[in-house]
Each structure stands twice: as structure tokens, then as C-alpha cells.
Amino acid sequence: MVRIGEDRSERLDITPVRFRVLVTVRPRYACPTGRAGVVQQKAPPAVIEGGLPTEAIIAHVLVSKYSEHLPLYREARVTARHGISIDRSTLADWVGRAAFHLAPVVDRMATLLKRSGKLFMDETTAPVLDPGRGRTKTGYLRAMLRDDRPWGGDDPPGVVFACAPGRSGVHAERMLEGFEGILQVDGYAGCNRLADDRREHGAPLHLAYCRAHARREIIKATPKAGSPIAEEAPTRVAALYGIEKDIRGQAARLSRKSEMGKAVAYILTRWQGLGLFAGDGRVEMDSNLVENQIRPLALNRKNALFAGHDEGAQNWARIASLIATCKMNGVEPFAYLKATLEAIAAGPPNAELDDLLPWAFPKATVKAAA
């Protein structure tokens, strides 16, 4: 028989997670005549020197917790099923050590983001255990995001989270120190200090407000029986995604004490910021881009309930910053974190900060399943 061709088919398969122990043997040598000292090869570099985990295991724990939202006690159960007993507190220690070493990368990313001409900002609650009181306190994870892809900007997208003890605009001001330009926010009044002479670290910013939030105010104020204003205003807001419409004159038809009057007042007091998009093509009509990056934090909060302490909340912010930025740039988070931790362990020149940023890492190639 002579081969005249072939048929080839593909099936999707999986190899379950498999743990293994890597043994490094370092012989010691000594001169038999006593003329030289003892010599031995140095131990391989490691993020946790003398510790049990490789950088791959640490990256796996980080991705499982902050990308797949798997609490550490569940990760401990998974390893136990494979015959490996690792206490949750040990996993928490690994997370903390990794976050410490990755902090300079996140700080560098924040510095570069603040050199942009436009940023988004939003926040969400982050319960933090309050030792000694037997309960949690409310912290806030604040996001600072750059995403210029909608208007064709050249800068890569990225997001940095930071934990703060409150929602006050003072915390936003500290996070934005060094930034000058347009800030897109949801309309929270605490950020107003950033747009006037109360801002201590720089000139007042231009605030661009979110029309999606303005629309929500109208919807929340709509009575069950309906309202002509409630029917008209959202329609006009929707039309602004195609062309701006003039809605002046509506306030005179409403009582300022009514719910609808308050909703329209919310819009009018932010009118300049709501219309900023019309004069600058870089500005979005809403803050949905940053809200989309906030949602994964809420999933992690739901599954883990709270951060164990203030530093744990800050670790949460750092790792979430890197994983979210990886996803925004089409980078596979595990591969990135493994390679970055290995580079940090090896030290310079393997750990030059700009080379360790997520957008500098090769993008993942995804093969679609039939």
C-alpha cells in the first residue's frame, strides 16, 4: 500500500493540575589536604528564600484567588485532595510576600498611568477585619484606569487599585498626585475638591461625569404611575450617544423638593462635566470602562468576605492591579506572574521595572474551540 494522504481530527483534552516536588542537590566539596575551604554551588534564586513554593506555585495561588476568586481556604482544600497539606495561613503568607516583591511594579505602573492626559476613577467597598473589635471595618478599593482604545490612543490600557480607609476625595487626591488632565468619574460629590483650589497636589482637574449615572438618577426618581419627564429624559440621554440634545428648560417644570426635581438637579449641577465629551474626542460619555474593572473586586469580596488586615487589603489591591491589567492587554495572568516573580528572584538585570509591566509581556494566543 502507498500512502496517498491522511485525515486529521482534534479533540479538546485536559491534564488536571499535578503537583510535583523539585529536589535541588548541592554537593559540598573540600580539599582533602586541608589547603582550601569548603565550596558549594549557590542555591537557585527564589522569591521566598529557603521556602517551600516555587514561583509557579505562588503565581497559581495568586491567580486562583484574585482572578478566579477562590478563597484561600478553598485552595487549601484543593491541595489536600492531591495529598498535600498546606495551611491557609501559609498560603496567606505566600500572597503577602509576593505582593511585597511586586509592589515596585505596581508603583511604576501607577506612575506611568498618571502621565496620561485622561484617566478614569471609581471605588468600591472592601471590608477589612478590625482586630480587637470582633467585626470588620469598611475600607475602599479605588481604581485608577487608563483605556484609550476607544479613541485610538497609543498608550496601553492599565488599571491600578489602592486601598483607603474612607471614601473621601482626600484619598483620591493622594492617589492622583502628579496627574494633570481630565478625570472621568461617576459624579460622586467627594471628588469635587479635585476640580477646584482645594486640590493641594497640582492644578484643578477637569471632571468628566458619567451620563449613565445621570440616567439612573432619572429612573430611580420615576414614580410607579410614570412621568412625562421620566419618559423624555432617558430617551434624550440615549440619543446623546449619537448626537447631543438640548434638554434645558425641564427644571422649571419640576418642584425642587420632588424626587424627579432632585434627579434633574443632580444632572444640572454636573452639566459642564456631562458635556465635556462633546468638545474632546478622548472623553467617554460614561464611566463604564472603570466600572467593569471594579466588578471582579466585588466577586472576590463576596467569596472571601473580608481582608484579614489593612496590609491584606493593600495586597489585594496590588495583585488585582496586575491581573486586571494583564487581562486588558490580552496577557495570560499565570504566565505573566510566574515569569515576573522569577525575574524578581533572579534580580537585575532580569528585574528592570519597565520590562516587567504587564503590557510589555507577550500577549496570549487563544485558539477557539469548535
Side-chain angles (χ1 to χ4, degrees), residues 261-272:
K262 294 176 183 177
V264 173
Y266 171 94
I267 295 172
L268 294 180
T269 55
R270 295 165 174 78
W271 188 252
Q272 183 176 359

Side-chain angles (χ1 to χ4, degrees), residues 44-365:
V47 166
I48 303 179
E49 295 184 2
L52 177 66
T54 65
E55 287 66 39
I57 285 291
I58 297 173
H60 173 75
V61 171
L62 296 179
V63 171
S64 297
K65 179 171 175 57
Y66 295 106
S67 177
E68 317 311 332
H69 317 297
L70 191 66
L72 293 180
Y73 78 89
R74 294 185 187 174
E75 293 195 46
R77 289 179 181 176
V78 172
T79 59
R81 290 204 303 268
H82 290 269
I84 302 172
S85 177
I86 304 178
D87 192 79
R88 177 175 56 179
S89 62
T90 301
L91 295 176
D93 179 66
W94 295 356
V95 171
R97 289 172 180 263
F100 171 80
H101 288 291
L102 291 168
V105 181
V106 179
D107 292 342
R108 177 59 177 168
M109 193 161 63
T111 298
L112 295 179
L113 290 184
K114 287 188 286 187
R115 292 179 183 175
S116 309
K118 180 179 71 71
L119 292 175
F120 293 85
M121 179 163 276
D122 199 3
E123 78 284 326
T124 188
T125 56
V128 180
L129 193 63
D130 195 1
R133 299 180 65 192
R135 59 180 182 177
T136 60
K137 58 185 178 181
T138 301
Y140 286 85
L141 283 173
R142 191 178 299 274
M144 177 177 66
L145 176 140
R146 175 180 70 194
D147 194 344
D148 296 340
R149 291 175 294 181
W151 59 272
D154 294 328
D155 292 329
V159 60
V160 168
F161 300 101
C163 190
R167 198 186 181 195
S168 168
V170 173
H171 304 296
E173 182 177 352
R174 291 171 183 165
M175 189 175 183
L176 290 167
E177 184 175 351
F179 171 66
E180 305 291 339
I182 298 171
L183 184 67
Q184 296 212 228
V185 292
D186 58 9
Y188 170 55
C191 289
N192 290 345
R193 63 178 292 120
L194 301 174
D196 56 37
D197 55 9
R198 287 176 291 174
R199 190 186 185 209
E200 298 179 358
H201 305 290
L205 301 177
H206 297 287
L207 298 185
Y209 292 119
C210 174
R211 285 191 170 268
H213 280 77
R215 181 175 179 272
R216 291 174 202 168
E217 292 295 318
I218 294 292
I219 293 175
K220 287 192 299 184
T222 303
K224 293 183 179 180
S227 164
I229 297 297
E231 295 175 2
E232 182 179 2
T235 300
R236 294 197 177 194
V237 171
L240 284 173
Y241 281 89
I243 186 171
E244 185 176 9
K245 297 291 185 180
D246 185 2
I247 60 171
R248 291 180 181 176
Q250 288 189 2
R253 298 160 52 187
L254 297 168
S255 168
R256 294 190 177 187
K257 295 182 179 180
S258 68
E259 292 300 315
M260 187 60 68
K262 294 176 183 177
V264 173
Y266 171 94
I267 295 172
L268 294 180
T269 55
R270 295 165 174 78
W271 188 252
Q272 183 176 359
L274 286 169
L276 197 59
F277 77 95
D280 192 327
R282 300 173 300 169
V283 179
E284 297 295 312
M285 287 183 61
D286 52 50
S287 57
N288 290 346
L289 288 172
V290 68
E291 286 196 12
N292 290 339
Q293 295 301 325
I294 286 286
R295 289 193 181 97
L297 300 181
L299 287 174
N300 201 69
R301 178 183 63 210
K302 177 182 178 182
N303 290 346
L305 299 182
F306 52 80
H309 43 71
D310 291 330
E311 187 59 31
Q314 192 59 49
N315 293 341
W316 180 1
R318 288 168 181 160
I319 306 303
S321 300
L322 295 173
I323 288 178
T325 301
C326 280
K327 292 179 179 180
M328 294 176 72
N329 287 275
V331 171
E332 204 286 301
F334 170 79
Y336 164 77
L337 287 171
K338 176 179 179 292
T340 300
L341 289 171
E342 289 173 345
I344 291 173
N350 301 293
E352 295 296 332
L353 288 181
D354 284 3
D355 294 334
L356 300 182
L357 298 175
W359 52 70
F361 197 77
K363 290 180 171 54
T365 55

